[in-house]
Amino acid sequence: TPGDADSLFKITQPGSYYLTGNITGVAGRHGVEIATSGVSLDLMGFTLTGVAGSLDGVSVTVNNSQNISVVNGSVRSWGDEGVDLGTMPSRGCRVEQILAVSNAGNGIAVGLATTVTNCSAYINTGHGIATNSGCAISMCTTYANSDNGINTGAGCSVSACSSGYCCPACSAP
């Protein structure tokens, strides 16, 4: 799907979408913008790599979106969040098998009543994984994020996760 002034690719209709290759970001733009509910985005094991001044790797830009899935790939080096389903709070979503590394904001940010499963978030400037209320985070790993490894809202559950931190001033973990 073609992009617009603030995204390389923009999804405006519900449905199932997948990547066919790696994506390299552009300053001032999201990698993939989701502007509707009912979207399943499979990264198919590919990587979305940001550049200086880029926005989010994957971003929901419509308030109160629901039933969005982002699965199976990597987001790294974006100018803000790697995966952002939380700034314009979405609900009832799923993030699974995502590797979020070296993003300038949170690695993964989600809205209400969302599941985050089997994800890893390393060396992000914000939280590794940040959630709103009523979320379930399981089998995730975070390490060396500048803020909390996992930061949750009220009524969330965290199970079978590992979270470690190394002071940014340290030369070794």
Side-chain angles (χ1 to χ4, degrees):
T1 70
D4 61 9
D6 68 347
S7 62
L8 296 172
F9 300 94
K10 185 171 185 173
I11 298 171
T12 60
Q13 296 296 314
S16 182
Y17 298 83
Y18 61 92
L19 295 186
T20 59
N22 295 322
I23 293 175
T24 300
V26 173
R29 296 171 88 182
H30 300 291
V32 177
E33 178 181 356
I34 300 172
T36 188
S37 294
V39 169
S40 177
L41 175 61
D42 189 339
L43 305 183
M44 300 293 288
F46 292 110
T47 299
L48 286 80
T49 304
V51 299
S54 59
L55 303 177
D56 300 324
V58 176
S59 187
V60 170
T61 58
V62 176
N63 202 18
N64 294 318
S65 295
Q66 56 189 340
N67 302 326
I68 295 171
S69 298
V70 179
V71 302
N72 191 26
S74 300
V75 287
R76 53 181 74 239
S77 303
W78 287 90
D80 201 7
E81 268 71 47
V83 173
D84 185 1
L85 309 183
T87 298
M88 299 298 284
S90 56
R91 62 186 190 278
C93 299
R94 178 174 65 106
V95 178
E96 187 173 332
Q97 294 181 331
I98 295 295
L99 173 62
V101 179
S102 298
N103 297 290
N106 299 314
I108 298 168
V110 299
L112 300 162
T114 292
T115 61
V116 181
T117 308
N118 200 23
C119 294
S120 297
Y122 299 94
I123 319 168
N124 297 287
T125 301
H127 303 295
I129 298 170
T131 75
N132 206 315
S133 300
C135 295
I137 303 97
S138 63
M139 298 182 292
C140 293
T141 303
T142 68
Y143 188 77
N145 297 287
S146 295
D147 224 330
N148 295 320
I150 299 172
N151 189 68
T152 67
C156 293
S157 68
V158 178
S159 62
C161 292
S162 171
S163 185
Y165 178 74
C166 176
C167 168
C170 298
S171 60

